[in-house]
Amino acid sequence: MEETRRTQVAIIGAGPSGLLLGQLLHKHGIDHVILESRSADYVLGRVRAGVLEQPTIAALREAGVGDRAEREGLRMNGFDLRWDEESCHIDFGRIGKHATVYGQTRVTRDLMDARRACGGITLYEAGDVRPHDIESQRPYVTYRHEGRECRLDCDFIAGCDGFHGVSRQSIPKNVLREYALTFPFGWLALLADVPPVSEEVAWINHAEGFLMCSLRSKTRSRYYVQVPSTEDIRQWDADRFWALYRSRLPRDLAEKLVTGPALEMSIAPLRSYVCTTMRHGRLFLVGDAAHIVPPTGAKGLNLAVGDAKELADGLLRHYRDRDTADLDGYCDRALARIWKAVRFSWWMTNLTHKMTDNPFARQMQLAEFEYTRGSEAAQIAIAENFCGLD
Ligand code: FAD
Ligand code: DHB
């Protein structure tokens, strides 16, 4: 080995969960190093989530990075559920809560700025990152960095490396428990500097497929449309996107649609996935490394932040009080929160997307919309799930 270091916690992945965990550990005075396979620019350029729950903002604040999200984020007091030319407004005021529209790229930038300011070590473009001896008291991670073969000795490894990362793969197959459902469609997304068609985010059930109108500011829109999972992003350009999008928008929104060049376009697959083995020995899985939800419920980043906060609290108690109770309870506490969000995301996907060609399925969706429109209880159930369950 050409270079060996030691730290208390080795964090794999510098997405939102890894960066937030790093900031919380920094606040607690726990030594750590982050290893990220991509460059900082690549991580920063990944356009994804938009909606943050109140506890997510609170966790960012605790890490010293909540100010901008609170100051510059757009307050979301509700959203519109729409089907055909009908609609139902879900009002968060009924439960005394709100959410915040603040893009994941900005959360990432805020966390990166804070990390730079406190001098935390993040090794970007680390190659061939591999956890070792996770079942022992002395785990370590090997990686390649700037042409050198390196080793990082540590007490714990936090796998914050997303769905395709190496951490979950290093848990032996015979102990790994997984639950998965892959939807036969994805979201084609476009970001553009055009005024949003609607001030409120709208979820639209069209007979030919789902679409969502979201936003990043009064001048920047984020739009999504359901496409078969066989679609290839290389076959899409902005003009083709706008034509499909306009064709599915309700009339009042189509009249307000302003089109423009795409700042970004991508296709995200939709799946529900939970690995309940969130801890094995001294390896902990955090965020998308352990679970994926379809973006319909706006939960993925919020769950990732919840995991990072819980793990940081457990590590604090371990180092400060020599008490492992919180670390030992990490999986159970996290999973209790995760399964409810998985259920809500799956349910919202079933309600709003074209699930099958069977007309019966759409009639059930329409009946559910009509029921929701007439029932305060149904609207409150959606609002409290969307804003985050306590
Ligand atoms: P990631 O963001 O995937 O970060 C993992 C990091 O690990 C990456 O930087 C990756 O490069 C790195 N990595 C991977 N493998 C390795 C390796 N072997 N070695 C080192 N590093 C590695 N969530 C919400 O809460 N609200 C929303 O509104 C919302 N909207 C979404 C819309 C879309 C279209 C999509 C796709 C997602 C959305 N999400 C939303 C989900 C959210 O984006 C994710 O849940 C979030 O990015 C998870 O963060 P993470 O840090 O756990 O994982
Ligand atoms: C976005 C907003 C949502 O409400 C959601 O469920 C997924 C994504 C967004 O603005 O990107």
Side-chain angles (χ1 to χ4, degrees):
M1 217 37 69
E2 293 169 62
E3 188 180 293
T4 302
R5 303 171 179 247
R6 172 156 182 91
T7 189
Q8 288 173 300
V9 182
I11 300 176
I12 304 178
S17 59
L19 288 170
L20 177 66
L21 179 63
Q23 280 322 102
L24 292 170
L25 294 184
H26 168 74
K27 290 271 163 192
H28 299 329
I30 299 170
D31 192 51
H32 62 280
V33 171
I34 303 183
L35 304 171
E36 164 62 50
S37 56
R38 303 288 194 155
S39 69
D41 283 346
Y42 180 92
V43 174
L44 208 46
R46 227 167 12 203
V47 182
R48 283 177 172 178
V51 177
L52 308 182
E53 296 171 2
Q54 280 169 281
T56 297
I57 303 267
L60 293 174
R61 208 183 308 116
E62 186 182 331
V65 292
D67 284 359
R68 268 196 217 153
E70 261 175 333
R71 214 175 40 242
E72 296 170 23
L74 300 176
R75 191 181 162 105
M76 183 178 179
N77 293 312
F79 64 82
D80 290 324
L81 272 180
R82 307 210 38 166
W83 60 103
D84 297 333
E85 296 298 322
E86 309 292 329
S87 69
C88 169
H89 183 65
I90 304 295
D91 178 7
F92 302 157
R94 287 178 193 264
I95 55 164
K97 290 190 178 179
H98 68 273
T100 301
V101 177
Y102 190 71
Q104 179 166 332
T105 46
R106 304 187 72 188
V107 174
T108 308
R109 187 198 58 194
D110 295 349
L111 285 162
M112 280 180 172
D113 287 352
R115 187 155 186 83
R116 211 171 298 116
C118 73
I121 302 173
T122 312
L123 302 178
Y124 285 100
E125 300 183 72
D128 202 15
V129 176
R130 281 174 202 277
H132 301 271
D133 289 0
I134 54 178
E135 290 164 0
S136 81
Q137 301 290 312
R138 291 195 173 76
Y140 63 97
V141 183
T142 54
Y143 57 98
R144 198 175 314 107
H145 192 244
E146 294 176 344
R148 290 190 303 277
E149 297 297 329
C150 309
R151 169 176 169 142
L152 180 61
D153 291 309
C154 55
D155 301 331
F156 297 101
I157 300 172
C160 303
D161 47 352
F163 185 66
H164 300 287
V166 68
S167 298
R168 194 179 65 249
Q169 291 167 26
S170 46
I171 299 177
K173 284 275 171 286
N174 60 334
V175 294
L176 201 68
R177 291 202 66 179
E178 301 170 286
Y179 301 82
L181 175 75
T182 303
F183 295 93
F185 45 78
W187 278 14
L188 170 65
L190 178 143
L191 182 74
D193 273 335
V194 293
V197 282
S198 159
E199 265 179 37
E200 299 276 28
V201 182
W203 275 250
I204 302 166
N205 175 310
H206 183 281
E208 293 308 317
F210 169 79
L211 58 162
M212 172 180 275
C213 313
S214 188
L215 64 159
R216 291 291 177 268
S217 70
K218 289 191 173 9
T219 55
R220 182 168 287 187
S221 301
R222 179 71 165 159
Y223 295 144
Y224 299 104
V225 60
Q226 176 183 349
V227 292
S229 40
T230 46
E231 282 298 329
D232 179 348
I233 191 65
R234 287 170 300 190
Q235 306 299 317
W236 286 87
D237 59 19
D239 288 343
R240 189 171 170 214
F241 177 96
W242 290 122
L244 175 65
Y245 202 72
R246 190 189 292 281
S247 73
R248 288 193 194 167
L249 272 179
R251 215 170 310 122
D252 60 312
L253 296 182
E255 280 165 10
K256 285 194 234 150
L257 183 70
V258 182
T259 63
L263 297 172
E264 189 259 3
M265 286 182 76
S266 53
I267 294 181
L270 259 67
R271 59 165 76 87
S272 300
Y273 170 87
V274 182
C275 164
T276 54
T277 320
M278 289 183 71
R279 176 189 188 169
H280 185 65
R282 294 209 156 213
L283 170 72
F284 290 83
L285 299 182
V286 181
D288 278 16
H291 41 77
I292 292 283
V293 284
T296 329
K299 291 286 168 227
L301 176 58
N302 291 296
L303 288 177
V305 165
D307 293 354
K309 161 94 178 96
E310 250 158 54
L311 183 57
D313 289 350
L315 289 167
L316 173 64
R317 201 159 157 198
H318 167 81
Y319 283 112
R320 189 191 56 195
D321 307 334
R322 298 187 182 283
D323 181 346
T324 61
D326 281 359
L327 279 185
D328 295 339
Y330 171 75
C331 285
D332 288 345
R333 276 197 323 281
L335 285 167
R337 184 171 39 79
I338 290 159
W339 278 119
K340 290 183 195 135
V342 170
R343 183 206 71 83
F344 177 66
S345 305
W346 166 84
W347 181 83
M348 278 288 277
T349 304
N350 278 273
L351 177 64
T352 53
H353 288 64
K354 180 176 184 180
M355 302 301 295
T356 71
D357 286 328
N358 184 341
F360 179 82
R362 176 140 165 89
Q363 289 305 316
M364 289 302 94
Q365 293 177 333
L366 298 179
E368 183 119 27
F369 282 126
E370 288 301 342
Y371 163 65
T372 302
R373 181 158 59 179
S375 164
E376 193 175 334
Q379 292 170 27
I380 287 177
I382 294 176
E384 67 182 8
N385 276 279
F386 189 85
C387 290
L389 299 168
D390 293 330

